């Protein structure tokens, strides 16, 4: 990488890569990406919304360094993470003559990053991918760590690969054009790092997240850098989510994926919103089981609600029975022998995995939550 200093390195031996977080990084995109652009061209996959909001700016940054962007624009939304869009993207990449040694740029949020990363991992048995996340969710989580994939009828992200990017390039100023709902949803993934292992960051979040959402550049930079450092360290310890620390990043996700399935992975419930509900439920269940002080569960729910995030299934219009949601959770890819590994917590900043919650207990808990939501 030339022209800029990495903020962090994801240390993975020969697959190590830099993560650069810098406001204005897009203006230097050409200089930074020059080593990865064969013949002065690079394929950039993005979605229609990001193309409109940031496409010209990113392309101008590339041009400044003598690189021409060859754009592929997909439809925005979770529905794009499916077999048919993957097949079309592969055909488009092949039509552009992408070769195995080439790098494809994923410019967008989690959907573009996961879809493009997956396509890059299987095209000609593996091309390079450069993640350029433009949503808060992708900046703090999905663009780092190499998880790629699509959703299938049986569940979310059930088909995919681990394919580490060559570089992650984050320009926090992209958040200025991100719709507010997306920003709030992404915030759920940011506060997740505080809930998993950083109580001081949770204190910071309580004091500064209002400013972050309102557009304070320093608050955004601080939060993103804190999350990137946390994610890089976790991925370095447990790259393939093999029963180590990376599992904790699924805090709120087993509940969240079941809720997303209920809404058909539609924009009725954004991924980050589902995670917010899932995290509130995980803390509530942990408190009910005596793992976590009830005051911590209340504090988590209060903070998420203050950030305008849903904290119960009913807030997203979901009235499914506990048994139906528990059944969906049983099919989660983290289930082993039908037993689900849940991420619960001993308190704020102290997440843990738990394999002792039975489907019946889960169903009863979810029914209680639904009844309490009235
Ligand atoms: N988003 C969870 C992970 O990267 O492991």
């Amino acid at each position: 990488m030339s022209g800029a200093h990495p903020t962090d390195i994801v240390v993975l031996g020969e697959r190590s890569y830099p993560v650069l977080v810098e406001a204005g990084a897009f203006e230097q995109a050409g200089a930074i990406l020059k080593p990865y652009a064969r013949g002065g061209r690079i394929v950039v996959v993005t979605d229609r919304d990001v193309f409109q909001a940031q496409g010209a700016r990113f392309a101008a940054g590339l041009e400044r360094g003598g690189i021409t962007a060859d754009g592929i624009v997909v439809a925005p939304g979770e529905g794009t993470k499916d077999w048919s869009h993957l097949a079309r993207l592969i055909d488009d990449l092949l039509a552009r003559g992408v070769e195995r040694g080439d790098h494809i740029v994923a410019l967008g949020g989690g959907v573009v990053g996961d879809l493009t990363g997956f396509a890059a991992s299987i095209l000609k048995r593996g091309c390079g991918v450069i993640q350029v996340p433009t949503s808060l969710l992708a900046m703090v989580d999905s663009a780092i760590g190499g998880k790629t994939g699509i959703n299938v009828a049986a569940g979310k992200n059930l088909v995919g690969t681990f394919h580490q990017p060559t570089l992650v390039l984050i320009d926090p100023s992209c958040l200025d054009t991100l719709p507010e709902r997306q920003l709030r949803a992404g915030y759920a993934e940011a506060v997740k790092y505080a809930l998993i292992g950083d109580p001081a960051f949770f204190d910071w979040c309580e004091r500064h997240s209002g400013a972050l959402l309102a557009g304070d550049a320093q608050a955004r930079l601080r939060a993103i850098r804190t999350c990137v450092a946390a994610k890089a360290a976790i991925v370095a310890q447990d790259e393939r989510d093999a029963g180590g620390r990376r599992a904790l990043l699924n805090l709120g996700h087993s509940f969240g994926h079941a809720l997303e399935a209920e809404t058909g992975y539609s924009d009725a419930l954004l991924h980050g919103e589902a995670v917010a509900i899932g995290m509130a439920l995980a803390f509530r269940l942990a408190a009910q089981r005596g793992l976590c002080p009830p005051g911590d569960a209340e504090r988590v729910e209060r903070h998420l609600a203050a950030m305008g995030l849903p904290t119960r299934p009913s807030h997203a219009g979901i009235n499914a029975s506990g048994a139906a949601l528990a059944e969906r959770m049983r099919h989660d890819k983290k289930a082993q022998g039908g037993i689900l590994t849940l991420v619960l917590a001993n308190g704020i900043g102290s997440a843990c995995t738990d394999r002792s919650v039975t489907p019946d207990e889960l169903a009863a808990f979810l029914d209680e939550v639904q009844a309490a939501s009235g």
Side-chain angles (χ1 to χ4, degrees), residues 77-83 85 110-111 114-115 149-151 156-157:
E78 193 73 29
T80 298
K81 260 177 67 171
D82 70 359
W83 284 115
H85 287 86
V111 168
D114 284 6
L115 182 76
I150 56 170
N151 307 323
K156 187 165 163 101
N157 293 336

Side-chain angles (χ1 to χ4, degrees), residues 2-4 20 22-33 61-62 64 169:
S2 61
L20 173 74
E22 202 170 294
F26 275 19
E27 276 62 47
Q28 307 171 54
I32 297 167
L33 299 190
L62 288 175
R64 209 166 287 128
L169 177 64

Side-chain angles (χ1 to χ4, degrees), residues 101-112:
D102 287 348
H103 284 81
I104 304 164
V105 175
L107 174 72
V111 168
V112 165

Side-chain angles (χ1 to χ4, degrees), residues 100-178:
R100 187 187 284 176
D102 287 348
H103 284 81
I104 304 164
V105 175
L107 174 72
V111 168
V112 165
D114 284 6
L115 182 76
T116 308
F118 190 21
S121 73
I122 56 177
L123 190 76
K124 300 194 172 170
R125 300 208 169 90
C127 301
V129 65
I130 293 168
Q131 294 284 353
V132 185
T134 56
S135 70
L136 183 57
L137 183 146
M139 290 177 187
V140 300
D141 189 20
S142 62
I144 303 162
K147 282 189 179 175
T148 81
I150 56 170
N151 307 323
V152 293
K156 187 165 163 101
N157 293 336
L158 288 186
V159 176
T161 54
F162 284 98
H163 187 60
Q164 299 295 343
T166 307
L167 163 70
V168 182
L169 177 64
I170 300 176
D171 186 338
S173 66
C174 288
L175 300 180
D176 295 343
T177 58
L178 190 71

Side-chain angles (χ1 to χ4, degrees), residues 200-255:
F201 183 43
F202 190 74
D203 294 343
W204 183 92
C205 286
E206 284 184 319
R207 280 181 281 118
H208 299 284
S209 52
L212 183 156
L213 291 182
D216 183 315
Q218 283 312 315
R220 288 179 174 183
L221 194 62
R222 160 91 194 262
I224 294 166
R225 287 188 165 162
T226 301
C227 297
V228 164
K231 177 90 191 233
I234 290 171
V235 171
Q237 285 168 26
D238 180 18
E239 180 186 7
R240 295 182 76 88
D241 204 354
R245 234 182 126 58
R246 191 160 183 174
L248 300 182
L249 292 175
N250 292 320
L251 176 66
H253 283 61
S254 298
F255 290 107

